[in-house]
Amino acid sequence: MSQKESLDVRSQKAALQKTLLASAMSKAPAATGKIVNAYGQEEVGVPRWQQKAAEKKNMYATNRSSADVSHEERVMQQMEERKRKRALSPETLRKQEAAEKNMMEMQRMEDMRSSHKPFSLHKPFSESDSDSSSDDEERKKKDKKAKKEKKKEKKAKKEKKKKHKKSSS
C-alpha cells in the first residue's frame, strides 16, 4: 500500500467517525430529562418499579395506625420526663416523685371505685380492731391445718408407691 492510499483510508475513517458522532449527537437525549436505556431506547417517565417503591413508601409513611402513634407519643413522653428529672435537683425530684405516687394511688382508688366490684378501704364502724385480728388468727390456723393435711396426703401417697414397688418386684 502506498502512502497516498493509506492517507485516503485514514481520511475516510475520520469522515466516517465524524458522521457517526454527529448522528449519535442528534439521537442523544437533550437536557430535557429523557432517559435512554442501554439499548438506546428512549424511556419516558419514571420506571414502574420506582413508582411502586415510592407508593409503598408513601403508604407506610402516611398510613400509621393509632397504636404506632400512641407508642411513639409514650416513648417521647418518657424521654422528656427523663430529661426533666436529670435537670432537677434531688430535693425537688423527691417531691415530684412523691406527688406522682400520690396521683397514681388516687387514680388506682378511683378505678377501684368505678369498677363494679364492691370495695371499701375502711372497715364498717361496727367492727372493732380486736375482731379483725381474731379473724386473721383463725384464718392462719385454718391455713396451717390445710398445709398439714396436704403433707399427710403426700406422705401416704409416697408410702403406697413404695409398697406397690416392693410388691411388684
Side-chain angles (χ1 to χ4, degrees):
M1 233 170 126
S2 68
Q3 278 185 328
K4 284 187 179 183
E5 289 175 2
S6 64
L7 286 172
D8 238 6
V9 172
R10 285 184 193 163
S11 63
Q12 285 176 354
K13 283 184 181 179
L16 184 63
Q17 281 181 347
K18 283 182 184 176
T19 56
L20 286 174
L21 282 172
S23 65
M25 290 299 286
S26 66
K27 291 180 184 178
T32 59
K34 292 182 184 178
I35 301 170
V36 178
N37 64 11
Y39 301 104
Q41 300 165 332
E42 182 180 325
E43 293 183 358
V44 180
V46 180
R48 184 76 181 133
W49 68 271
Q50 286 180 344
Q51 287 176 347
K52 285 183 179 179
E55 287 172 6
K56 282 183 185 177
K57 187 176 180 181
N58 288 337
M59 179 181 68
Y60 287 116
T62 57
N63 186 17
R64 296 172 60 185
S65 68
S66 60
D68 294 337
V69 173
S70 62
H71 174 71
E72 285 182 8
E73 288 174 358
R74 277 183 272 141
V75 169
M76 292 302 292
Q77 286 176 351
Q78 288 175 351
M79 290 174 65
E80 288 173 7
E81 287 174 10
R82 289 179 189 151
K83 285 180 185 176
R84 284 190 210 114
K85 285 181 180 178
R86 281 188 222 122
L88 294 176
S89 66
E91 185 177 317
T92 55
L93 184 62
R94 273 188 246 117
K95 289 179 183 177
Q96 192 177 28
E97 286 176 353
E100 287 175 2
K101 284 181 183 178
N102 288 339
M103 287 297 293
M104 295 287 285
E105 186 66 26
M106 291 180 75
Q107 285 177 347
R108 187 178 64 80
M109 300 290 274
E110 188 63 34
D111 291 344
M112 293 179 122
R113 285 186 193 131
S114 64
S115 69
H116 298 291
K117 296 177 184 176
F119 175 78
S120 65
L121 286 177
H122 306 288
K123 298 174 192 171
F125 293 112
S126 63
E127 288 185 20
S128 66
D129 290 336
S130 61
D131 291 343
S132 64
S133 64
S134 64
D135 290 341
D136 288 341
E137 290 173 8
E138 289 175 19
R139 186 175 37 84
K140 287 179 183 178
K141 287 179 183 177
K142 288 179 183 177
D143 290 343
K144 283 183 180 180
K145 286 181 183 178
K147 285 182 183 179
K148 285 181 182 178
E149 289 176 12
K150 285 182 182 180
K151 283 184 180 179
K152 287 180 183 177
E153 289 175 6
K154 284 183 181 180
K155 284 183 181 179
K157 285 182 181 179
K158 284 183 181 179
E159 289 175 9
K160 285 182 182 179
K161 285 182 181 178
K162 285 181 182 179
K163 288 179 183 178
H164 182 70
K165 284 182 182 179
K166 286 181 182 179
S167 62
S168 64
S169 58

